[in-house]
Amino acid sequence: MKVSVGITTLHLSQKSALLLLLATGLLGFGGYDYVQQSQAVDNAVAVQATITDSSVDRMDGGRGIDYEPEIQYTYKYQGETYTSEQVFPSTGVRTYSDRSRAESVVESYEPGTTARAYVSPADPDDAFLIRERTPFPLRAITIGGFLSVIGVLAGLGPKNPGQQELRPANEMQSAQHETWVDSHGETLHRLSKQGLGVCFVGFWLSMVALVFGLLNTPGEFGGPPQEIQAELLGPIGLPMLAGFSFWVGMILSLCLYGGWSFAEYQQLRRRLPDPKPPSPFRHPSRLITILGTEDNDLSEYGRRVRRTGWALMIAAGMTAVLVHLLYIAS
């Protein structure tokens, strides 16, 4: 599919078109929610509300356990009585991965007490308690912008990169200076694959041990959810420490594989016939297109580029997840 954008034409595959559609949806919803929250915060008037109920709701989802502060209150505006459960001026529900953070929101709103609520004159039946924007719109805009950049780069790239055939190896002169990675390539390859396999299995075994540790913790599953104080070498702390170590091990193994694979890519690139195409690692549009192409549709050179790129991208993504979790824990 061809899409004209100014003086440029994007050649979009089905995957790229779906990616841009998803990015547009995230950008649109994030922008709409941001504008709505901004208007609510700027235009709202304060009223007195009576808290009727407050609690922390535990939500078990596919990505883990989240906690939602639930507060119900009544208020009057221009002689009419309203009931609301909205805490923040957002169309979405704000949850927390840490129960203590959700409890810190609820503890200021005990049932039977009065508190300040905020009402939009244009929509008086939709009040909220905390006059601040939630981070969800900016996150949606950030993810949508990232996906749109990937989709555009894929559309700008050539149609069939990574399909160049190689000259026979016996026609090539050996490199004048053999690098350390070249001379120890087989060892690095073997260690990276073995390390990745061991750390992958170890990580999931540690997660199973963590679940058993939580099941055997009194009060966590048999009654109201409680915040767990885990000892470092206890039935919960030890699996978490092991899972952290194995996660870091997977990142290091992927980086080791990426380094070896990049050295292999450089050797294959020497066998490309002249004139050589631009390096995908210096032209993101080419790299994105190759990453989205199946192995069967690529030459040996293209498959090496694809595997190198995916290894480094997955390592970068896992590192970002680790940094985010450490930030939340701090």
Side-chain angles (χ1 to χ4, degrees):
M1 181 175 66
K2 296 182 180 180
V3 179
S4 297
V5 182
I7 60 174
T8 303
T9 300
L10 300 180
H11 299 272
L12 299 178
S13 64
Q14 185 177 7
K15 293 180 181 179
S16 300
L18 291 175
L19 193 65
L20 283 176
L21 184 62
L22 175 61
T24 302
L26 287 171
L27 289 171
F29 184 78
Y32 169 79
D33 198 26
Y34 182 82
V35 171
Q36 185 187 54
Q37 289 192 45
S38 298
Q39 291 177 345
V41 169
D42 295 338
N43 301 330
V45 295
V47 297
Q48 183 171 298
T50 301
I51 309 300
T52 57
D53 190 25
S54 63
S55 62
V56 173
D57 183 31
R58 173 177 169 151
M59 305 173 64
D60 296 331
R63 64 173 188 173
I65 300 174
D66 289 327
Y67 299 94
E68 176 191 357
E70 289 191 343
I71 305 172
Q72 188 177 57
Y73 53 95
T74 61
Y75 60 95
K76 287 186 176 182
Y77 181 74
Q78 294 184 347
E80 295 289 335
T81 301
Y82 301 90
T83 299
S84 178
E85 296 181 353
Q86 190 165 328
V87 180
F88 295 94
S90 173
T91 56
V93 176
R94 182 169 185 177
T95 60
Y96 300 88
S97 58
D98 185 358
R99 180 180 174 84
S100 61
R101 297 183 64 186
E103 288 177 340
S104 66
V105 176
V106 171
E107 65 184 7
S108 302
Y109 300 97
E110 294 291 334
T113 61
T114 58
R116 180 179 296 176
Y118 299 92
V119 180
S120 173
D123 193 10
D125 61 344
D126 196 16
F128 56 92
L129 292 174
I130 300 179
R131 198 172 186 174
E132 65 180 41
R133 301 177 183 87
T134 62
F136 174 77
L138 293 180
R139 291 177 182 173
I141 292 172
T142 301
I143 296 174
F146 177 74
L147 294 180
S148 64
V149 169
I150 293 178
V152 170
L153 287 175
L156 289 174
K159 294 182 180 180
N160 301 311
Q163 298 184 6
Q164 295 84 1
E165 295 299 330
L166 302 173
R167 289 183 290 176
N170 56 15
E171 294 183 4
M172 302 301 299
Q173 296 180 352
S174 58
Q176 295 180 353
H177 302 286
E178 190 177 48
T179 65
W180 185 87
V181 176
D182 293 332
S183 58
H184 297 81
E186 291 300 323
T187 302
L188 294 178
H189 186 212
R190 184 180 69 255
L191 290 177
S192 64
K193 295 181 70 173
Q194 291 176 350
L196 184 60
V198 170
C199 291
F200 180 81
V201 173
F203 173 79
W204 286 110
L205 289 177
S206 65
M207 292 299 100
V208 172
L210 177 60
V211 170
F212 277 105
L214 290 172
L215 288 172
N216 293 324
T217 300
E220 176 63 15
F221 289 89
Q226 302 291 329
E227 184 180 359
I228 299 176
Q229 299 294 333
E231 297 181 0
L232 183 61
L233 299 180
I236 296 176
L238 191 58
M240 291 181 66
L241 182 61
F244 173 83
S245 301
F246 286 126
W247 188 270
V248 173
M250 284 191 286
I251 295 175
L252 295 177
S253 297
L254 284 169
C255 291
L256 187 63
Y257 177 86
W260 166 82
S261 188
F262 187 79
E264 292 291 305
Y265 149 78
Q266 289 180 315
Q267 292 183 9
L268 291 176
R269 186 168 175 80
R270 298 190 190 103
R271 294 171 53 189
L272 290 175
D274 295 324
K276 291 180 173 59
S279 169
F281 295 101
R282 295 183 180 180
H283 293 76
S285 61
R286 287 179 171 269
L287 180 60
I288 293 297
T289 303
I290 293 175
L291 292 178
T293 306
E294 298 294 335
D295 266 4
N296 295 334
D297 298 328
L298 297 171
S299 65
E300 182 183 1
Y301 168 78
R303 287 194 294 270
R304 180 52 54 199
V305 171
R306 185 174 188 268
R307 293 168 187 174
T308 305
W310 274 118
L312 297 177
M313 286 187 64
I314 293 173
M318 293 179 66
T319 302
V321 171
L322 183 63
V323 171
H324 178 67
L325 291 176
L326 291 175
Y327 173 77
I328 292 176
S330 63

